[in-house]
Amino acid sequence: MSNTKPLAGIRVLTLEQFGAGPYGTMFMAELGAEVIKVEAPDGDPSRQVGPYRLGKDDSEYFQAWNLGKKSVTLDLKSKDGRARFEALVKTADCVVNNMRGTQPGKLAIDYASLRHLNPSIVCLHISAYGRANERADWPGYDFLMQSEAGLMELTGDPEGPPTRVGVSLIDSMSGLTGTVGLLACLLRAKTTGQGCDVDTCLYDVAMHQLTYPGLWYLNEGDVSPRVPRSAHLSLAPVQTFPTADGWIFIMCMTQKFWLSLVQAMDRSELLSDPRFRDPNTRAANRAQLTEALDPTFRTRTTAAWLEKFNGLLPAAPVYRLDQALDSDFARSTGMVAAVPHPAKGSLRVIANPIRIDGERPSQSACAPLGADNSLVDEA
């Protein structure tokens, strides 16, 4: 395998904070781009987010979104800071921000403002609600988008309150969505010499995650409800089941897997039950199916069931955070890595999920605030 990362030679300037922008540009950094965080003198506010600090102007929260990046401090609103920023733009391929919709125009960091410096520059804007509507000036965050897009109302137990996903998935998806658009336009710019603006926003991305329940409503008027046990809306058994020591998630997405489950559980009598004959009848009789399967699942531990299924059907343990990160499989696949860090010696991190020629990209910590200010003088 070549040691050259695929984005080597690409320079990205980022004016970003918290999650959405930083998550997308972190992937670019780990795939070889030189990603330079252009920070205000007091830095990305997420550097100060606790509870686990890494000395002055750094934290584990911050590093989770910013691995592999360099840091330059500039006051874009000052004459000197603007001149230094523009010098960097002339050397860059991309400029990324995740500000409120009207801010890129006001700060002159959109394509119309920068094209005279670098006609091929690609400018990615990740805002809360977009740059050209009545909410362009609204602040917005991940959890609000999960709420307004209907995702919270789809999540959780029917008898409980609407529930958000436990982490900021809309931030992450927005960062990745924006990066896909950015890379596509960067490819075009390398051929044509013509840059552009690329836009996405948290609201649009959250709405896009509605996928098939969204199409069911738009075309059939069907409003999907919350389903007990985190079950699939139209297939069964696809849900959690209680075991002797915890929970297991079973996904019989096909008739083949249903047959494998019945055989592994030694419950062949279920095959002749007309309520469970096929996916449609099982979904229609989900409560009765759950009642029939629960007692059998409770006879073994989660680990024992997984050993018995042994890849015959899709199944997974329902883990706590510590169990997930400390699992033998996570360890064997290399999903936990470590990078040097001056405050800890070694900082354990989540490994990049991409493999190139079978290997994960190497990782490093984000630079301390302003550590790469010399890059401005070199530009």
Side-chain angles (χ1 to χ4, degrees):
M1 167 183 155
S2 170
N3 290 324
T4 302
K5 293 185 178 182
L7 295 182
I10 300 299
R11 173 172 276 192
V12 183
L13 309 181
T14 69
L15 299 95
E16 57 182 22
Q17 58 185 20
F18 288 105
Y23 189 78
T25 56
M26 181 171 67
F27 270 79
M28 297 186 74
E30 293 185 343
L31 291 172
E34 181 188 26
V35 177
I36 303 171
K37 281 183 74 75
V38 179
E39 304 184 66
D42 55 354
D44 181 338
S46 69
R47 287 181 178 273
Q48 311 303 331
V49 175
Y52 303 108
R53 303 296 297 276
L54 294 169
K56 180 178 170 57
D57 298 323
D58 200 358
S59 70
E60 293 184 10
Y61 180 95
F62 171 79
Q63 289 292 340
W65 305 95
N66 289 286
L67 295 174
K69 301 175 187 178
K70 298 179 178 180
S71 173
V72 165
T73 54
L74 291 174
D75 179 2
L76 274 183
K77 296 181 179 179
S78 72
K79 183 176 179 180
D80 179 68
R82 180 69 193 188
R84 289 170 174 265
F85 172 70
E86 290 188 355
L88 282 174
V89 170
K90 292 176 181 178
T91 71
D93 299 281
C94 316
V95 175
V96 177
N97 78 86
N98 65 332
M99 301 176 180
R100 296 190 197 188
T102 61
Q103 290 302 302
K106 292 177 180 178
L107 288 174
I109 57 173
D110 55 357
Y111 184 68
S113 303
L114 300 178
R115 63 186 302 174
H116 71 285
L117 301 169
N118 185 345
S120 65
I121 198 78
V122 179
C123 301
L124 170 62
H125 312 281
I126 305 175
S127 58
Y129 296 100
R131 292 195 298 143
N133 59 60
E134 65 271 22
R135 293 191 188 180
D137 271 328
W138 284 25
Y141 291 94
D142 180 297
F143 301 166
L144 302 178
M145 307 308 162
Q146 293 190 42
S147 174
E148 186 169 0
L151 296 169
M152 285 181 62
E153 187 57 47
L154 282 170
T155 306
D157 190 85
E159 303 304 317
T163 304
R164 68 170 176 86
V165 178
V167 293
S168 301
L169 281 182
I170 301 303
D171 274 346
S172 301
M173 288 298 300
S174 297
L176 291 178
T177 300
T179 300
V180 169
L182 174 64
L183 291 174
C185 293
L186 181 60
L187 282 174
R188 185 180 67 181
K190 290 296 183 183
T191 301
T192 66
Q194 181 72 31
C196 63
D197 286 310
V198 179
D199 281 87
T200 193
C201 67
L202 274 63
Y203 176 80
D204 288 0
V205 169
M207 293 290 285
H208 199 257
Q209 300 314 300
L210 290 173
T211 61
Y212 56 89
L215 266 65
W216 290 346
Y217 170 72
L218 291 173
N219 294 283
E220 310 302 333
D222 179 81
V223 179
S224 298
R226 275 178 271 157
V227 185
R229 301 276 188 92
S230 298
H232 192 280
L233 291 165
S234 59
L235 296 170
V238 180
Q239 64 183 72
T240 57
F241 289 97
T243 65
D245 64 346
W247 292 84
I248 192 170
F249 207 114
I250 300 297
M251 295 194 69
C252 293
M253 301 290 286
T254 68
Q255 187 73 2
K256 169 189 173 182
F257 291 138
W258 164 246
L259 297 176
S260 296
L261 175 66
V262 169
Q263 181 179 3
M265 298 182 79
D266 195 23
R267 294 293 306 276
S268 59
E269 78 279 5
L270 296 176
L271 296 177
S272 59
D273 192 318
R275 298 173 299 172
F276 311 140
R277 180 179 62 253
D278 56 45
N280 291 332
T281 58
R282 289 195 295 275
N285 296 285
R286 189 192 313 272
Q288 295 93 325
L289 179 61
T290 299
E291 185 178 350
L293 293 176
D294 272 359
T296 305
F297 271 112
R298 287 194 175 101
T299 63
R300 296 173 184 260
T301 65
T302 299
W305 280 119
L306 291 171
E307 183 177 0
K308 189 168 183 62
F309 297 149
N310 194 29
L312 294 174
L313 64 140
V318 179
Y319 276 160
R320 299 186 311 266
L321 177 66
D322 57 333
Q323 293 174 311
L325 290 171
D326 292 338
S327 74
D328 291 339
F329 191 67
R331 187 177 299 110
S332 69
T333 57
M335 271 310 300
V336 176
V339 299
H341 192 283
K344 288 187 73 73
S346 179
L347 178 68
R348 298 181 76 197
V349 299
I350 311 299
N352 190 293
I354 296 172
R355 293 178 185 266
I356 299 174
D357 288 335
E359 295 185 22
R360 300 186 193 276
S362 59
Q363 296 172 288
S364 62
C366 184
L369 180 64
D372 302 289
N373 283 350
S374 61
L375 292 171
V376 180
D377 299 322
E378 297 168 3

